[in-house]
Amino acid sequence: MFNPSKKNLFLAIFLISFIALMSAYFIEYVLGYQPCNLCLYERIPYFLAILILLANFKYNKLEKYFILFLIIIFFIATLLSLYHLGIEQGLIEESLLCNLEKGANIIDKDEILKQLQQKN
């Protein structure tokens, strides 16, 4: 049975977090898609995970606390992602969190979908 070491697991979490952030910035700045506020909020857990993992390399004795922080962070990130998905699928009413401050020309999710289709 596959039994990864903690070091390999931490490295995998670090790489996944880094790739997720780089993908988000690529989509925003290179492809030109304007993210909503929830999209921006969903990046925060990945930043925190990277910071926690870097701190773990320096303060290895606090590893149990860092693991607990990672679990809490990714649990909250999962809830935020599910909430965002619910808004995108129309299951949940849009809130002020998903309102675009910068992109005043994009009013609702239908216009965002039209913009995405035009980019292809």
Side-chain angles (χ1 to χ4, degrees), residues 14 33 56 60 66 68 72 82 86 110:
F14 180 84
Y33 294 115
N56 183 55
N60 202 10
F66 290 136
L68 179 63
I72 292 169
L82 290 173
D110 295 326

Side-chain angles (χ1 to χ4, degrees), residues 36 39 42 83-92 98 109 113:
C36 70
C39 293
E42 286 180 279
Y83 177 68
H84 195 188
L85 179 67
I87 289 174
E88 289 177 348
Q89 297 300 317
L91 302 173
I92 301 172
C98 201
K109 66 180 177 188
L113 289 173

Side-chain angles (χ1 to χ4, degrees), residues 3-115:
N3 189 10
S5 68
K6 287 181 194 176
K7 184 178 178 180
N8 289 341
L9 193 58
F10 286 160
L11 181 61
I13 293 171
F14 180 84
L15 289 175
I16 290 169
S17 297
F18 183 78
I19 290 169
L21 286 173
M22 291 303 105
S23 299
Y25 285 119
F26 178 80
I27 291 168
E28 181 179 355
Y29 293 110
V30 176
L31 299 180
Y33 294 115
Q34 180 69 31
C36 70
N37 287 340
L38 280 175
C39 293
L40 296 174
Y41 294 151
E42 286 180 279
R43 296 176 188 178
I44 294 171
Y46 295 110
F47 280 121
L48 292 175
I50 289 173
L51 291 176
I52 288 171
L53 291 169
L54 290 175
N56 183 55
F57 287 124
K58 181 158 176 92
Y59 305 105
N60 202 10
K61 292 182 180 181
L62 300 173
E63 185 176 271
K64 291 179 184 179
Y65 297 109
F66 290 136
I67 292 171
L68 179 63
F69 289 148
L70 286 172
I71 290 169
I72 292 169
I73 286 170
F74 281 115
F75 177 73
I76 293 170
T78 301
L79 293 177
L80 183 61
S81 296
L82 290 173
Y83 177 68
H84 195 188
L85 179 67
I87 289 174
E88 289 177 348
Q89 297 300 317
L91 302 173
I92 301 172
E93 193 71 28
E94 289 186 46
S95 70
L96 293 176
L97 289 176
C98 201
N99 198 5
L100 290 173
E101 294 171 0
K102 298 177 191 171
N105 58 343
I106 300 174
I107 297 172
D108 62 0
K109 66 180 177 188
D110 295 326
E111 289 189 33
I112 293 172
L113 289 173
K114 287 178 188 176
Q115 180 189 14

